[in-house]
Amino acid sequence: MPVAASAIYFLNLRGDVLINRLYRDDVGGNMVDAFRTHIMQTKELGTCPVRQIGGCSFFYMRISNVYIVIVVSSNANVACAFKFVVEAVALFKSYFGGAFDEDAIRNNFVLIYELLDEIMDFGYPQNLSPEILKLYITQEGVRSPFSSKPTDRPVPNATLQVTGAVGWRREGLVYKKNEVFLDIVESVNLLMSSKGSVLRCDVTGKILMKCFLSGMPDLKLGLNDKIGLEKESQLKSRPTKSGKTIELDDVTFHQCVNLTRFNSEKTVSFVPPDGEFELMKYRITEGVNLPFRVLPTIKELGRTRMEVNVKIKSVFGAKMFALGVVIKIPVPKQTAKTSFQVTSGRAKYNASIDCLVWKIRKFPGQTEPTMSAEVELISTMAEKKSWTRPPIQMEFQVPMFTASGLRVRFLKVWEKSGYNTVEWVRYITKAGSYEIRLAS
Amino acid sequence: MAPPAQAHRSPSPSQPSGKGEVSDLKSQLRQLAGSRAPGIDDSKRELFKKVISYMTIGIDVSAVFGEMVMCSATSDIVLKKMCYLYVGNYAKVNPDLALLTINFLQRDCKDEDPMIRGLALRSLCSLRVANLVEYLVGPLGLGLKDNNSYVRTVAVIGVLKLYHISAPTCIDADFPPTLKHLMLNDPDPQVVANCLSALQEIWSLEASTSEEASREREALISKPVIYYLLNRIKEFSEWAQCLVLELVAKYVPLDSNEIFDIMNLLEDRLQHANGAVVLSTIKVFLHLTLSMTDVHQQVYERIKAPLLTLVSSGSPEQSYAVLSHLHILVMRAPFIFASDYKHFYCQYNEPSYVKKLKLEMLTAVANESNTYEIVTELCEYAANVDIPIARESIRAVGKIALQQYDVNAIVDRLLQFLEMEKDYVTAEALVLVKDLLRKYPQWSHDCIAVVGSISSQNVQEPKAKAALIWMLGEYSQDMQDAPYILESLTENWEEEPSAEVRLHLLTAVMKCFFKRPPETQKVLGAALAAGLADFHQDVHDRALFYHRLLQYNVSVAERVVNPPKQAVSVFADTQSSEIKDRIFDEFNSLSVVYQKPSYMFTDKDYRGPFEFSDELGNLSIAAESADNVVPAQGVEANDKDLLLSTSEKEEIRGATFNVSGYSAPLYDSSAASVQSELAIISSTSAGSAPSSSLAIDDLLGLGLSAAPAPEPASVPPSLKLNSKAILDPGTFQQKWRQLPISLSQEFSLSPEGVAALTTPQALLWHMQGHSIHCIASGGHSPNFKFFFFAQKAEESSNFLVECIINTSSAKAQVKIKADDQSTSQAFSDVFQSALSKFSV
């Protein structure tokens, strides 16, 4: 059995039940209490998202200020359960229009009950596609659309079945202006040793798509990835054009992508859902362009003084610039006084996270601002109050830059009516976990 | 849907008391019930919402049941849904009132709107009142035939609900065959998927009583059904795909062509965005190729990239679920992941449950080429703010040291830990240094110098203190101050809370006494006196035992307490390979996350000891210091050993025989242990000490006392084997490489033998009874592989055996290598006769 969930609970941070839905009788009604006493009120909360209490297993996730708890009594499929919660939350968000928190739940609890009835029956996941559900579960609660057609009202699923298993797209969509927005969003993860060598570095990227297209369009996306290009040149018996090709370590696609065609022809072709969705995810470990180099030096001058110097080099094109750059440089807990000199941006000491926080709103390429700070420490009684020297962490966003070098080569749209489409492509690279260790 | 919190109120003080509000609601509902004024639905909706919200926070609103039912005559679908929800919640506790609702639900089941038909049918089946089941059969039958697929999906699950309320009604109405027909013919994939879920549940539950049901259950994993589902797999929703893939993993293909066909068909599923689908596909691949070693390895290579992607995407919870699975694969085939070790580096902000798994994987994949990087990285974590993780990292360094041959650099790092002057780091490092010394005594010089400089006052944790004391005793000749440190520790006997530490102190003082008698004599007296006066039974007994032993004969006592030690070559593995295989069989389920097979957490009998104590991984740590002198026993650590704390040291074991008091047989056996130890020391052959029929290791060891004694009668007189043969895996491997194959034969297995092989452990026990010891075993039905060894009783001449058993053909292929080629035929006869006697 993949997931035969016995119950699902939504709790707020105090442990009050916001929503509960018992699907099966095989768990007692006091499951919330068990969760509260054995997980919420103990230190266990952060230790593991899967816990066994008595004969039941609890899967829980915190999303903003809400805990979603699934209770199962059998040996369930963990990945499936968490994916279900994630999908369910996405569904709720698409109904609430964005936020998913305690207030949203309180304001929409009838709707949530309705949805919980549809997305899971007797513990088995059913249909979680917002596209389909929105056809017959509406906040307005109007009578279901089927009733308008007197006979043979097929449920959307069945209609779509006939048109070639496109369960994620409605027929008969019309847009005055046909537009596609592509966002290539990469997060670059870095772990750099105190000696300046890269310990680990990778890019996880996703391609987000927003489609406003009429009818049933067929799309084909071309990237500058190695396999795709090789295949293409093979097919057209033409040598690969020079230029950078990217080697993707692994790719996963939205269910709309025809995987068989990807495997045979290496092309990404699909009939997109309407609106916003995540087309693909990929991972790259080779040839990553790090947008920033961080060069820290920290000198401890005796027991009560420290000197912190940090230089950041931006290594992307001079015409580009990064936004929202934040560098967090950890300092010991007993920091008393700090003074700064920066060549760009602003720096201050944040006592709640024990860090010097240096912010640069707009950071042009090919520059290297510096910060130097003097830190005075309270001298403590303990002879050698150890400071663990956590790593420097960095946040940033670099528009029009991809750390992997991935580029969209083309996006083709075919629709039988032959309309013209406007395609918009954006690139952005964000910091994932960008850590630079300090020498001790 | 049982009432959520009917009996107990939610503890929040801010919530209304209920009583007044409920009666208020009641009168308002009553007013609305008859009204047909325009806009009435809106006011009803507000009221219904109130009722539902009270219900959710745990106020009992069952009192308005009648009014709710009266108001349910509406065409507003949202109102209907709220009403259904309410009814479903309270019907079970108010069966009489539930009867009221049957009418309107049955009417709705015939509504022209399929939504309403479906909803009504679902609610009808959710009433869960046993005496109302008669009203269910009719609507369900119609629902299954409904021309709308939504109604059919609801009806299929409805059948399952009916089965859980009243199994006979469901069976008598012939619903399961109908479901089977739907499963194989319905155009809607969700209907098919729900049929599959329902049938799996129904037939599994029925199978225990009905042969037909168990046949039907088997039929679900027959070729036609599997192929039918596989051919439609792309139509299914992601959840249904998981369901189907789970079923396919149970399917046993006829030949390798079929296996490749299935894998080719499913390969694109590895690119699916839903991690659960990817994991299910991986399970299919792994299970299909179990018997094809090469392909199985290729599968590992193929699934690596998708798994690593899944780990780095999604919420921490999702990546934890994936990481747990990656963990089990890494543990099974560390060498395949050796080059990916950087993926297991921890990020600073990762939750500790993720870090912990990563640490274990880093430990597992360490080999000659990456050890330096991995150990350097682990040392970074030792300074982590998260103390449990820092401790884990130090242990990980130690584990790597114990599994590597080149430990030079690692020892240096461990010694650096000792100099970090953090309590917990010192404590962990001490325990590790102790284990390390037991495996690599050659490092004692370097280690002792550093250990000697640690002040015993700075070590408080019992485990670390015990380790320090053990080293003081063991290396007292090299540590200048040893007797004096022991003396000061003995002076503080009363203040020492841990019995483990006091036990170690006793033994250490004894050891020290034999090495440096004049300096220790006084302490020994004090320690024995303190021990005899100790309120703890074990400590008292051990003190008494030492005391009498010394009285009896000092040189015997020395040989008992301070015998020359053999370096430990392999430390016991905590989980038997059988358990690991079972977890692997249950890939993609909770078993993998809990790291134990499902029977341990779903069977009531098993749950007891694990309840509330299932901290992940603590099992694997608990037994780190377990002694396992004879590697053959490592394989045999069974479930029960997992539960026992195996952390006692070998010295303790001798004493634990006395723990349960002075009962005669136990005392005898410990005497036997002394004898047999003597026997070994004086290097007389084992055969000459018949009274110690059990191997010494059994007496000291991990509960092996139940091992069958050798049966001399079964061994032909031409060749006598040593029942206590010892061979460490290193030597075995070396010999296996050097020696030529002297005999290669094929034996047949009796059917009973094949049957008994469902637990390969049984064969190990059986062969041990014939003085043939297992050094390693593995494999999966139908193919098992064992490596055995035996030694001649009179001389140390070894026989090495590789035995591959195929249970489907009932054949055993045996390759024998021997130090003395001339006796290999005789040994082969012994082996065959032993094997042929193997049965349940």
Side-chain angles (χ1 to χ4, degrees):
Chain A
M1 263 177 268
V3 191
S6 300
I8 185 164
Y9 295 101
F10 292 64
L11 307 175
N12 67 10
L13 297 184
R14 281 187 310 174
D16 297 335
V17 181
L18 301 174
I19 300 272
N20 70 351
R21 186 76 174 81
L22 275 97
Y23 287 108
R24 295 171 83 102
D25 278 335
D26 52 359
V27 295
N30 58 350
M31 279 299 135
V32 201
D33 292 340
F35 181 76
R36 273 195 287 252
T37 48
H38 290 294
I39 299 176
M40 286 192 84
Q41 290 164 9
T42 61
K43 282 182 187 161
E44 306 295 337
L45 199 54
T47 55
C48 185
V50 185
R51 293 279 300 170
Q52 190 193 353
I53 301 172
C56 294
S57 293
F58 289 72
F59 304 94
Y60 61 94
M61 254 179 145
R62 183 178 161 176
I63 289 158
S64 76
N65 53 1
V66 178
Y67 283 108
I68 301 181
V69 187
I70 284 192
V71 187
V72 297
S73 64
S74 54
N75 187 17
N77 180 332
V78 190
C80 207
F82 281 126
K83 181 70 183 175
F84 178 81
V85 175
V86 170
E87 293 280 298
V89 170
L91 174 68
F92 296 149
K93 278 186 183 164
S94 83
Y95 265 97
F96 307 160
F100 177 84
D101 52 24
E102 188 178 344
D103 290 336
I105 293 174
R106 284 195 192 279
N107 295 334
N108 295 286
F109 72 95
V110 174
L111 177 69
I112 295 181
Y113 273 123
E114 268 186 70
L115 288 172
L116 284 177
D117 254 353
E118 294 300 325
I119 60 177
M120 194 172 253
D121 201 359
F122 209 50
Y124 291 105
Q126 303 288 312
N127 189 358
L128 268 85
S129 153
E131 284 297 306
I132 305 299
L133 284 169
K134 277 185 179 163
L135 288 179
Y136 60 96
I137 307 245
T138 47
Q139 254 168 316
E140 291 74 39
V142 291
R143 211 169 149 78
S144 84
F146 317 124
S147 53
S148 53
K149 301 178 218 158
T151 47
D152 267 340
R153 306 153 299 240
V155 144
N157 245 339
T159 348
L160 298 160
Q161 204 68 57
V162 186
T163 60
V166 191
W168 51 85
R169 191 178 175 92
R170 236 173 330 140
E171 271 193 287
L173 291 166
V174 181
Y175 286 98
K176 221 183 250 171
K177 198 173 169 192
N178 290 296
E179 283 180 303
V180 186
F181 296 86
L182 264 184
D183 273 313
I184 288 92
V185 183
E186 297 197 334
S187 12
V188 48
N189 300 305
L190 169 75
L191 180 59
M192 191 170 270
S193 79
S194 52
K195 295 185 183 72
S197 60
V198 174
L199 291 173
R200 198 196 144 178
C201 175
D202 61 53
V203 169
T204 52
K206 51 187 171 188
I207 300 187
L208 301 174
M209 201 162 203
K210 219 186 265 181
C211 281
F212 303 109
L213 296 172
S214 314
M216 277 289 183
D218 227 325
L219 273 67
K220 196 167 153 186
L221 175 73
L223 301 168
N224 63 337
D225 69 301
K226 206 172 166 187
I227 316 167
L229 284 176
E230 269 169 15
K231 191 78 193 178
E232 199 170 296
S233 63
Q234 232 175 59
L235 288 174
K236 295 178 184 161
S237 59
R238 200 170 61 193
T240 320
K241 269 179 263 165
S242 61
K244 200 177 174 187
T245 57
I246 307 300
E247 202 169 340
L248 302 174
D249 282 26
D250 187 50
V251 204
T252 59
F253 294 105
H254 185 269
Q255 54 167 339
C256 69
V257 175
N258 187 332
L259 294 173
T260 326
R261 266 174 87 182
F262 176 75
N263 279 334
S264 60
E265 299 162 29
K266 300 294 168 201
T267 54
V268 183
S269 50
F270 53 98
V271 178
D274 192 36
E276 203 173 340
F277 68 102
E278 190 180 289
L279 177 68
M280 62 182 268
K281 270 194 288 218
Y282 57 89
R283 188 168 52 84
I284 291 168
T285 45
E286 295 300 320
V288 176
N289 312 314
L290 294 174
F292 291 101
R293 288 256 161 197
V294 182
L295 308 162
T297 45
I298 294 192
K299 272 186 233 156
E300 287 184 52
L301 309 167
R303 293 241 307 274
T304 57
R305 239 159 49 81
M306 267 172 60
E307 215 177 81
V308 180
N309 287 296
V310 180
K311 177 154 61 168
I312 314 268
K313 274 189 191 173
S314 54
V315 274
F316 44 87
K319 285 181 188 157
M320 290 190 267
F321 51 82
L323 297 174
V325 178
V326 179
I327 303 112
K328 291 180 190 155
I329 304 125
V331 287
K333 256 198 163 26
Q334 60 270 31
T335 297
K337 209 174 134 193
T338 50
S339 59
F340 299 93
Q341 273 188 318
V342 288
T343 58
S344 174
R346 294 166 74 179
K348 61 174 192 221
Y349 166 57
N350 184 335
S352 62
I353 53 171
D354 296 317
C355 278
L356 306 179
V357 182
W358 179 19
K359 290 186 184 170
I360 302 169
R361 203 173 292 160
K362 200 168 167 181
F363 196 136
Q366 304 298 335
T367 54
E368 36 179 286
T370 56
M371 180 204 77
S372 51
E374 265 189 38
V375 179
E376 281 179 42
L377 307 174
I378 306 164
S379 65
T380 45
M381 298 299 285
E383 181 57 36
K384 216 177 172 184
K385 186 70 189 170
S386 56
W387 175 46
T388 55
R389 289 181 183 258
I392 291 183
Q393 297 187 313
M394 202 172 164
E395 296 164 20
F396 54 78
Q397 295 188 0
V398 192
M400 300 319 289
F401 173 81
T402 50
S404 64
L406 194 78
R407 283 279 178 274
V408 172
R409 288 170 46 243
F410 59 81
L411 177 69
K412 291 176 188 161
V413 182
W414 283 280
E415 218 281 332
K416 50 180 185 275
S417 62
Y419 53 72
N420 285 326
T421 37
V422 187
E423 294 117 37
W424 305 88
V425 183
R426 282 193 300 188
Y427 301 91
I428 192 163
T429 292
K430 294 177 182 173
S433 140
Y434 211 82
E435 296 177 355
I436 296 97
R437 286 187 182 149
L438 295 173
S440 47
Chain B
M1 284 149 280
Q6 211 210 7
H8 57 276
R9 289 271 322 284
S10 185
S12 165
S14 65
Q15 280 159 7
S17 70
K19 279 243 167 66
E21 285 88 341
V22 173
S23 57
D24 241 27
L25 279 176
K26 199 174 172 124
S27 59
Q28 286 179 24
L29 279 169
R30 198 164 279 169
Q31 277 173 11
L32 291 179
S35 165
R36 294 203 178 277
I40 193 79
D41 280 351
D42 288 337
S43 25
K44 272 191 193 171
R45 238 193 241 183
E46 283 311 306
L47 272 181
F48 273 35
K49 263 191 187 173
K50 239 181 220 168
V51 173
I52 303 284
S53 72
Y54 283 177
M55 190 176 86
T56 301
I57 58 176
I59 295 173
D60 183 0
V61 281
S62 60
V64 298
F65 203 105
E67 286 73 15
M68 288 292 280
V69 174
M70 279 196 275
C71 285
S72 65
T74 170
S75 56
D76 185 305
I77 200 161
V78 173
L79 270 180
K80 266 195 193 302
K81 281 184 185 169
M82 286 199 269
C83 189
Y84 293 154
L85 178 72
Y86 174 86
V87 168
N89 253 317
Y90 287 112
K92 204 178 177 193
V93 281
N94 294 303
D96 303 338
L97 288 169
L99 193 60
L100 292 175
T101 62
I102 291 280
N103 247 335
F104 83 78
L105 284 174
Q106 273 188 324
R107 199 177 55 232
D108 284 352
C109 281
K110 293 179 186 135
D111 196 281
E112 59 155 13
D113 184 342
M115 266 316 280
I116 304 233
R117 288 205 299 276
L119 286 171
L121 189 58
R122 184 187 293 146
S123 309
L124 197 58
C125 298
S126 303
L127 293 178
R128 286 180 285 190
V129 180
N131 54 9
L132 296 182
V133 286
E134 52 188 298
Y135 299 100
L136 289 183
V137 177
L140 271 178
L142 289 176
L144 290 174
K145 288 189 213 111
D146 202 293
N147 62 4
N148 187 290
S149 59
Y150 178 75
V151 183
R152 290 199 303 278
T153 51
V154 171
V156 171
I157 293 291
V159 169
L160 182 58
K161 290 176 185 164
L162 171 63
Y163 177 81
H164 280 277
I165 309 165
S166 165
T169 318
C170 180
I171 304 289
D172 291 346
D174 253 1
F175 281 137
T178 318
L179 292 193
K180 190 178 175 187
H181 178 80
L182 273 180
M183 181 178 80
L184 296 175
N185 296 293
D186 201 282
D188 186 280
Q190 193 59 49
V191 175
V192 175
N194 284 359
C195 285
L196 180 58
S197 310
L199 286 176
Q200 275 185 312
E201 257 194 69
I202 293 175
W203 279 330
S204 300
L205 289 167
E206 281 291 299
S208 56
T209 52
S210 146
E211 241 177 67
E212 197 204 329
S214 87
R215 260 200 314 280
E216 290 287 2
R217 189 180 56 169
E218 291 309 309
L220 281 180
I221 44 174
S222 66
K223 190 169 174 175
V225 178
I226 295 286
Y227 276 47
Y228 161 77
L229 292 170
L230 279 177
N231 285 329
R232 295 189 65 175
I233 191 129
K234 280 166 197 157
E235 298 170 24
F236 289 114
S237 73
E238 43 200 320
W239 320 104
Q241 288 187 13
C242 293
L243 188 76
V244 170
L245 291 169
E246 199 66 27
L247 188 76
V248 175
K250 290 187 197 145
Y251 174 65
V252 184
L254 288 173
D255 52 32
S256 52
N257 287 338
E258 239 191 304
I259 293 178
F260 288 120
D261 284 348
I262 295 177
M263 294 211 299
N264 283 331
L265 182 72
L266 292 180
E267 195 178 2
D268 58 18
R269 295 298 104 192
L270 290 175
Q271 242 109 41
H272 201 284
N274 186 330
V277 173
V278 178
L279 278 178
S280 303
T281 313
I282 289 175
K283 177 175 185 175
V284 173
F285 279 28
L286 289 173
H287 283 216
L288 284 180
T289 57
L290 263 182
S291 54
M292 311 158 82
T293 323
D294 294 353
V295 186
H296 195 61
Q297 194 155 330
Q298 284 169 20
V299 167
Y300 271 90
E301 296 284 357
R302 174 66 185 86
I303 62 183
K304 225 160 67 170
L307 274 173
L308 292 171
T309 305
L310 281 178
V311 168
S312 60
S313 58
S315 65
E317 291 84 0
Q318 284 174 289
S319 48
Y320 173 68
V322 179
L323 211 55
S324 307
H325 287 85
L326 190 60
H327 179 260
I328 186 179
L329 295 177
V330 168
M331 293 301 161
R332 281 180 84 85
F335 55 95
I336 291 180
F337 296 89
S339 56
D340 303 289
Y341 63 94
K342 284 192 177 174
H343 286 281
F344 310 137
Y345 281 6
C346 299
Q347 281 159 23
Y348 188 72
N349 290 331
E350 270 171 338
S352 58
Y353 52 83
V354 168
K355 284 185 182 166
K356 203 164 170 175
L357 283 178
K358 285 190 168 179
L359 286 179
E360 284 178 29
M361 291 193 276
L362 275 177
T363 317
V365 299
N367 63 13
E368 285 85 6
S369 60
N370 59 21
T371 300
Y372 178 79
E373 282 84 7
I374 290 180
V375 172
T376 310
E377 182 68 15
L378 287 171
C379 291
E380 287 281 343
Y381 308 149
N384 202 301
V385 260
D386 187 351
I387 292 178
I389 291 301
R391 282 174 181 272
E392 289 286 337
S393 328
I394 299 169
R395 281 182 213 145
V397 175
K399 270 192 206 155
I400 292 175
L402 290 177
Q403 75 197 18
Q404 295 282 318
Y405 296 98
D406 175 33
V407 285
N408 203 339
I410 302 181
V411 170
D412 282 348
R413 309 256 189 167
L414 278 178
L415 296 179
Q416 277 168 24
F417 285 149
L418 287 177
E419 286 158 358
M420 268 171 72
E421 294 187 15
K422 275 187 195 163
D423 293 352
Y424 59 90
V425 177
T426 312
E428 290 296 336
L430 272 176
V431 175
L432 281 176
V433 170
K434 177 211 66 184
D435 285 342
L436 213 58
L437 286 178
R438 289 169 58 214
K439 184 165 180 183
Y440 309 105
Q442 65 270 30
W443 289 106
S444 62
H445 195 74
D446 304 63
C447 295
I448 290 314
V450 183
V451 171
S453 67
I454 292 174
S455 160
S456 60
Q457 268 108 43
N458 293 344
V459 183
Q460 287 310 322
E461 285 172 43
K463 279 224 176 309
K465 211 166 181 178
L468 179 64
I469 292 172
W470 182 86
M471 286 186 273
L472 284 170
E474 196 64 31
Y475 300 98
S476 43
Q477 73 278 19
D478 303 325
M479 288 209 250
Q480 199 75 58
D481 298 337
Y484 310 104
I485 301 173
L486 288 172
E487 187 172 350
S488 75
L489 284 166
T490 310
E491 278 165 14
N492 295 323
W493 188 279
E494 298 292 324
E495 278 90 63
E496 177 52 55
S498 160
E500 187 191 355
V501 173
R502 298 201 299 273
L503 280 169
H504 272 278
L505 190 52
L506 264 180
T507 309
V509 171
M510 279 288 273
K511 284 180 186 166
C512 189
F513 170 70
F514 293 119
K515 285 169 184 160
R516 299 164 72 172
E519 292 155 285
T520 323
Q521 197 170 13
K522 200 178 119 216
V523 197
L524 181 62
L528 284 177
L532 284 170
D534 203 285
F535 61 91
H536 195 276
Q537 191 75 51
D538 289 0
V539 182
H540 171 81
D541 286 356
R542 186 179 292 188
L544 193 64
F545 172 65
Y546 284 156
H547 179 67
R548 293 196 175 151
L549 203 55
L550 287 167
Q551 269 184 332
Y552 169 70
N553 185 334
V554 177
S555 63
V556 170
E558 176 167 13
R559 271 175 278 168
V560 171
V561 178
N562 225 1
K565 278 199 184 52
Q566 219 180 3
V568 181
S569 53
V570 176
F571 284 83
D573 208 337
T574 36
Q575 268 181 341
S576 72
S577 53
E578 188 199 345
I579 292 220
K580 284 182 188 160
D581 287 345
R582 280 188 91 141
I583 297 175
F584 185 66
D585 284 341
E586 293 168 353
F587 194 81
N588 201 14
S589 74
L590 273 172
S591 314
V592 176
V593 175
Y594 290 150
Q595 296 180 6
K596 55 196 176 198
S598 63
Y599 70 87
M600 287 196 187
F601 59 91
T602 51
D603 283 9
K604 292 229 162 35
D605 308 339
Y606 254 93
R607 223 182 278 146
F610 280 107
E611 213 161 337
F612 306 125
S613 69
D614 49 341
E615 208 170 289
L616 276 177
N618 67 354
L619 292 174
S620 62
I621 301 146
E624 238 172 21
S625 51
D627 264 9
N628 192 25
V629 184
V630 176
Q633 292 169 4
V635 186
E636 297 181 4
N638 56 18
D639 302 7
K640 284 190 182 115
D641 289 338
L642 279 176
L643 298 178
L644 297 172
S645 157
T646 46
S647 62
E648 296 103 313
K649 310 293 167 298
E650 55 193 301
E651 293 90 346
I652 299 180
R653 291 217 189 89
T656 47
F657 282 95
N658 300 343
V659 171
S660 28
Y662 288 94
S663 73
L666 281 173
Y667 213 70
D668 281 348
S669 69
S670 94
S673 119
V674 174
Q675 257 184 20
S676 67
E677 205 161 328
L678 289 173
I680 283 192
I681 292 156
S682 52
S683 71
T684 47
S685 85
S688 71
S691 66
S692 59
S693 59
L694 291 170
I696 172 176
D697 318 294
D698 291 350
L699 282 173
L700 298 174
L702 302 151
L704 274 188
S705 47
E711 299 156 43
S714 67
V715 183
S718 56
L719 184 72
K720 263 203 154 76
L721 295 176
N722 181 358
S723 62
K724 295 159 218 155
I726 293 174
L727 196 64
D728 67 273
T731 328
F732 185 95
Q733 276 184 351
Q734 201 185 354
K735 278 185 182 291
W736 187 259
R737 272 200 301 271
Q738 286 165 353
L739 292 169
I741 296 177
S742 47
L743 263 179
S744 180
Q745 281 178 312
E746 192 172 86
F747 302 140
S748 290
L749 245 71
S750 65
E752 295 91 326
V754 172
L757 258 180
T758 46
T759 46
Q761 297 290 306
L763 180 67
L764 312 186
W765 290 97
H766 171 80
M767 296 308 274
Q768 196 165 19
H770 293 267
S771 306
I772 297 166
H773 306 274
C774 180
I775 196 154
S777 69
H780 244 278
S781 187
N783 289 309
F784 295 96
K785 193 170 187 177
F786 301 91
F787 285 100
F788 293 101
F789 69 91
Q791 252 165 23
K792 273 199 216 171
E794 305 89 298
E795 46 188 305
S796 66
S797 165
N798 294 303
F799 298 99
L800 313 181
V801 187
E802 180 198 80
C803 174
I804 299 171
I805 297 180
N806 184 304
T807 48
S808 53
S809 63
K811 289 271 190 279
Q813 284 179 326
V814 175
K815 284 184 192 137
I816 297 173
K817 300 187 177 186
D819 284 342
D820 179 1
Q821 307 273 340
S822 63
T823 50
S824 50
Q825 185 57 50
F827 175 75
S828 166
D829 295 341
V830 173
F831 191 86
Q832 189 182 3
S833 92
L835 196 61
S836 65
K837 286 184 190 125
F838 178 56
S839 63
V840 183

